[in-house]
Amino acid sequence: MRLARTTAAAALAATLLLTAACSGSSDGGTDGGDSGSLEKVAYLTSFGNFGRDAYAWVALEKGYFREAGFDVDIKPGNATAENLKMIAAGRAAFSPLDLTGLLLAAGQGQAKDVVAVAAIQQKTMAAIMSLEGNGIAVPKDLEGRTLADSPSSVVRNLFPTYAKLAEIDESKVKWVNGTPQTLIGTLAGGGVQGIGQFVVGKPTVEAAAKGRKAVVLPYSDVMRDLYGNVLVTSKKIATENPDMVKRFTAALLKGLEYSIANPEESGEILHKNVPAAAAAPAAAELELMATYVASETGIGGIDLGRVAGSIALLETAGSIPPGVTPEQIVDASLTPKP
């Protein structure tokens, strides 16, 4: 497993360096060495400040954003739906959001003002997470249980589709509200039997549970073609300043590359900037995330054919109505190319 992670990290590093070289050109008048000329950018993490989002802090700490001409203000996000509103309203310029969550929003007539410009994870990391001793080992065991998640989380909003495909009676599952800051503690304290969580959250959950092992039910077991988080910006920014989008994307992906290749250091960088985020669990999350980031078609790339397949899956499950297209969600002119 260690050899596999090392090989994946090396391949990832080489690909991302090529991506940065192709996409990272600076526009006229922007000098990364002059703080007065840096463009201020507001960035939201996907969900709180966990190891899975450490790459943004790495890009900041290592100077990748500055080199690309940006002064970036990183704020903790509150899951797909809330982050989507912030981007659409112009209160943040970029955020990694779950692509399936965007498709669900598009099916409801939302997400009209945003576009995806790069993939962070090439497959969904959405999952239900429990602890040994809670009586949950397979999806069917979720019936009769109480689960917690943010109302805007893609894990919660995608659950009806997951339940149908995993043959769970959704009506027998109770949901209560939680926040990024409280979910893991609520599970560890016995307040609920499961929570919505990304699969890479396993080390953080086990650290909070003090010795109890986590039980993970990944959505990808029944929905294999779904992307995970994608980098999103507003259509206004994408249309008016595509070069800025490409430079920011290249800098962020460079931080992602470094994080996957150097998980321990990256966990320390996250802890330095967010003291409440423990370094060791953050590093473990990044190690687990490596296989979700690597791609044969290039880091950050988005295949519109795969997106079309995801749309078809959601339509078949009755999660979205017909009519949503990949081009509504993804700006292919801005996505990194192999």
Side-chain angles (χ1 to χ4, degrees):
M1 293 178 64
R2 184 176 300 276
L3 176 60
R5 287 197 298 268
T6 302
T7 303
L12 180 59
T15 305
L16 276 167
L17 287 173
L18 177 60
T19 300
C22 294
S23 308
S25 60
S26 175
D27 59 356
T30 300
D31 180 3
D34 180 359
S35 61
S37 67
L38 296 178
E39 183 174 0
K40 293 186 180 298
V41 171
Y43 174 91
L44 294 174
T45 67
S46 64
F47 193 67
N49 281 310
F50 298 102
R52 70 207 71 164
D53 276 297
Y55 56 90
W57 293 106
V58 170
L60 183 67
E61 182 85 6
K62 293 294 180 181
Y64 303 150
F65 287 141
R66 174 175 288 273
E67 291 167 4
F70 301 109
D71 176 10
V72 179
D73 182 20
I74 303 173
K75 299 293 186 183
N78 287 296
T80 299
E82 292 302 316
N83 288 9
L84 176 59
K85 293 176 185 177
M86 295 282 282
I87 296 293
R91 297 175 65 186
F94 296 95
S95 180
L97 309 183
D98 190 274
L99 181 56
T100 305
L102 290 179
L103 295 175
L104 293 174
Q108 298 171 356
Q110 304 168 11
K112 295 180 180 179
D113 300 317
V114 304
V115 288
V117 296
I120 303 299
Q121 292 114 21
Q122 293 291 325
K123 60 179 179 178
T124 182
M125 300 198 305
I128 301 297
M129 200 164 297
S130 185
L131 293 169
E132 287 185 350
N134 285 351
I136 297 174
V138 297
K140 193 72 173 173
D141 293 336
L142 296 174
E143 295 178 2
R145 310 293 180 178
T146 299
L147 310 179
D149 202 354
S150 163
S152 63
S153 166
V154 69
V155 177
R156 185 166 175 176
N157 288 308
L158 189 55
F159 184 77
T161 306
Y162 171 72
K164 182 176 293 186
L165 295 173
E167 300 182 343
I168 302 166
D169 185 344
E170 182 194 355
S171 67
K172 295 181 180 179
V173 181
K174 179 182 177 181
W175 285 92
V176 297
N177 294 338
T179 68
Q181 295 77 22
T182 63
L183 282 176
I184 293 176
T186 301
L187 175 64
V192 295
Q193 290 81 55
I195 57 174
Q197 190 68 208
F198 279 178
V199 293
V200 295
K202 185 174 184 284
T204 305
V205 168
E206 291 180 341
K210 300 186 184 306
R212 295 177 68 187
K213 295 295 183 181
V215 176
V216 184
L217 302 177
Y219 282 14
S220 60
D221 285 350
V222 295
M223 295 181 282
R224 295 177 177 82
D225 208 32
L226 301 182
Y227 278 94
N229 281 348
V230 294
L231 181 64
V232 168
T233 190
S234 69
K235 286 186 177 178
K236 177 180 174 63
I237 292 175
T239 300
E240 296 181 356
N241 205 340
D243 179 70
M244 175 263 204
V245 174
K246 290 182 178 180
R247 287 186 291 111
F248 184 91
T249 299
L252 185 69
L253 292 182
K254 192 173 180 181
L256 178 63
E257 171 260 320
Y258 192 94
S259 298
I260 297 302
N262 302 276
E264 290 82 8
E265 181 186 353
S266 299
E268 293 291 348
I269 289 174
L270 176 63
H271 178 65
K272 173 186 173 182
N273 288 276
V274 186
E285 284 200 9
L286 289 168
E287 288 191 20
L288 289 174
M289 197 170 79
T291 58
Y292 288 82
V293 172
S295 168
E296 294 180 358
T297 58
I299 303 305
I302 301 177
D303 182 342
L304 294 185
R306 276 188 62 194
V307 178
S310 298
I311 292 172
L313 173 66
L314 296 174
E315 285 183 0
T316 301
S319 300
I320 60 173
V324 177
T325 67
E327 291 77 14
Q328 289 176 247
I329 301 297
V330 180
D331 189 332
S333 69
L334 296 176
T335 58
K337 302 303 186 288

